Amino acid sequence: MRVLVIGSGGREHALLEALSRDDSVTELHAAPGNPGTAVIATNHPVDQTSGDAVADLAEKLAVDLVVIGPEVPLVLGVADAVRARGISAFGPSAAAAQIEGSKAFAKDVMAAAGVRTADSEVVDSPADIDAALDRFGPTWVIKDDGLAAGKGVVVTADRAEARAHAAELLEAGRPALFESFLDGPEVSLFCLVDGTTVVPLLPAQDHKRVGDGDSGPNTGGMGAYSPLPWLLPGAVDEIVETVVKPVAAELVRRGVPFSGLLYAGLAMGADGPAVVEFNCRFGDPETQAVLGLLESPLGAALAATADGTLADLPPLRWRDGAAITVVLAAENYPGTPRKGDLITGADEPGVYHAGTAVDAGGRLVSAGGRVLNVVGVGDDLAAARTDAYAKLERIKLAGSHFRTDIGHQAL
Ligand code: GLY
């Protein structure tokens, strides 16, 4: 099987690495990829937001499967364009990707499916902010109502901060989504979905704040661990039965069946799981940890999802133990990150490139906010942490920072 992975981050690097372990995968391509993916796949330049450009590349490379990593191409219909050429695509149609692309659509689907989620309200006029602040919070949860790569969310007990974020969004011409605060630890559950068949992966937890102890602003994600030792037995089945299957069935009922990876972000409250958000693709950086434990061939699982034969896929096999991802971020991230600094020590297994480039002198340098994702695997969470942080010790990048407490609370 010849596979093309679309995207350029640590998630795509980890997907390619897991695909490279699948004997049925004979050729791997990435577009645009990154310096890390170039080691295990052939990188190709592409405008990943253009369905025609991606489909042309897939045809030229005669691939059997295109795996679309990020949400933006999915929301723009890149999977539809690939399928229109008769090539299998892993990833939902533009219509089904609205589960992530439009919060209003997601809320409507959840209401129809009877799935618990936060109350919400879209505010599109500065004059309405104060009344909305009175109705919601404290704690206030204020989101960018469009795709914002996780960075458009402010969760705060500080009314002035909440007000400022809402005002900033509106000034930028973006509606602000006010949500009621959902209590309880968060779980990311990724499910392969082909219409109504749902196959969950191992549950994971993301660490969104930049600093240790969940301090500082939200980021695209500073680390993750999997599985979750504190999650009650049966919780994954409960989430699949009460959240993911009803939503998948509702999408089928609306004529927009979901095919790909449906990511349920949940708060595990006293009353059971409630949905914080749905995403239409693998989560980043949880995927890097989850795939570190996968023993089944990933190519076969993605192809079965794309081809609508997920019901025939043998149960997924996982290695015992735990995995964690720690994100190494550039100086000043999540503000404007410093770029162009030399990186050394990054060429070992379990180190995934997220924001790197090769400079004119052929040196590996930083090129983004989240630069590397370092995955540790071990017989338990403590061992996985030891593995990841030992790798981080060997990586040098001036001014970089990382959280030292990924997975720590779960211990
Ligand atoms: N881990 C958060 C996300 O992928 O959106």
Side-chain angles (χ1 to χ4, degrees):
M1 177 166 48
R2 298 148 72 100
V3 184
L4 167 63
V5 174
I6 302 301
S8 63
R11 165 184 52 206
E12 287 75 27
H13 191 179
L15 284 164
L16 285 157
E17 192 279 329
L19 286 165
S20 75
R21 288 188 260 130
D22 179 341
D23 292 339
S24 73
V25 175
T26 52
E27 216 174 280
L28 273 178
H29 298 274
N34 64 38
T37 68
V39 176
I40 49 175
T42 308
N43 284 353
H44 305 268
V46 78
D47 173 1
Q48 55 178 313
T49 63
S50 161
D52 280 341
V54 171
D56 286 348
L57 179 64
E59 252 175 17
K60 190 176 101 188
L61 298 171
V63 296
D64 304 295
L65 176 67
V66 179
V67 178
I68 299 155
E71 61 277 18
V72 172
L74 291 165
V75 168
L76 293 175
V78 169
D80 306 82
V82 171
R83 286 191 195 102
R85 305 277 183 100
I87 302 169
S88 285
F90 180 87
S93 64
Q98 288 306 300
I99 197 79
E100 175 167 1
S102 162
K103 298 203 168 65
F105 176 81
K107 291 284 180 195
D108 199 49
V109 167
M110 282 187 268
V115 168
R116 290 183 59 234
T117 183
D119 294 333
S120 68
E121 196 176 305
V122 173
V123 172
D124 48 20
S125 160
D128 296 335
I129 291 177
D130 280 309
L133 288 169
D134 291 344
R135 283 193 294 281
F136 291 85
T139 301
W140 290 277
V141 180
I142 298 177
K143 300 183 176 176
D144 185 331
D145 193 36
L147 291 177
K151 280 174 269 180
V153 187
V154 161
V155 181
T156 181
D158 179 343
R159 186 179 171 111
E161 189 189 354
R163 192 178 198 297
H165 184 57
E168 194 185 317
L169 289 171
L170 295 183
E171 261 165 43
R174 308 177 71 87
L177 185 81
F178 281 61
E179 283 193 351
S180 58
F181 178 67
L182 293 173
D183 215 357
E186 289 197 6
V187 173
S188 301
L189 187 68
F190 303 159
C191 296
L192 300 172
V193 175
D194 102 34
T196 51
T197 303
V198 174
V199 174
L201 310 188
L202 291 181
Q205 190 179 56
D206 191 3
H207 293 55
K208 294 204 175 79
R209 303 259 185 185
V210 72
D212 280 356
D214 287 330
S215 59
N218 263 357
T219 68
M222 290 300 288
Y225 65 101
S226 175
L228 308 176
W230 49 267
L231 196 63
L232 293 176
V236 167
D237 286 345
E238 183 187 4
I239 295 166
V240 167
E241 295 302 325
T242 64
V243 174
V244 185
K245 282 188 178 173
V247 162
E250 174 60 20
L251 290 171
V252 169
R253 197 190 64 74
R254 291 177 182 223
V256 287
F258 191 96
S259 168
L261 193 291
L262 187 55
Y263 163 155
L266 308 130
M268 299 301 289
D271 301 331
V275 174
V276 177
E277 63 179 4
F278 275 109
N279 293 316
C280 66
R281 38 81 195 171
F282 280 96
D284 192 343
E286 300 98 308
T287 297
Q288 292 85 315
V290 170
L291 293 183
L293 298 170
L294 182 68
E295 287 185 338
S296 298
L298 180 65
L302 301 186
T305 309
D307 297 344
T309 58
L310 199 46
D312 302 329
L313 187 75
L316 294 177
R317 287 177 285 103
W318 302 93
R319 73 154 273 180
D320 288 336
I324 83 163
T325 314
V326 184
V327 171
L328 182 77
E331 183 173 334
N332 203 38
Y333 178 80
T336 306
R338 181 172 135 165
K339 296 182 185 170
D341 288 308
L342 181 68
I343 303 166
T344 59
D347 48 358
E348 63 176 306
V351 177
Y352 298 112
H353 291 226
T356 68
V358 175
D359 73 4
R363 305 175 324 156
L364 186 68
V365 295
S366 56
R370 293 187 296 167
V371 180
L372 296 170
N373 308 150
V374 179
V375 174
V377 177
D379 289 341
D380 56 25
L381 192 49
R385 277 174 48 82
T386 302
D387 186 34
Y389 285 109
K391 284 178 193 163
L392 272 157
E393 284 291 310
R394 298 192 281 272
I395 297 172
K396 303 290 174 235
L397 168 62
S400 61
H401 59 99
F402 57 85
R403 278 184 64 160
T404 64
D405 64 346
I406 304 302
H408 180 69
Q409 241 192 330
L411 289 174

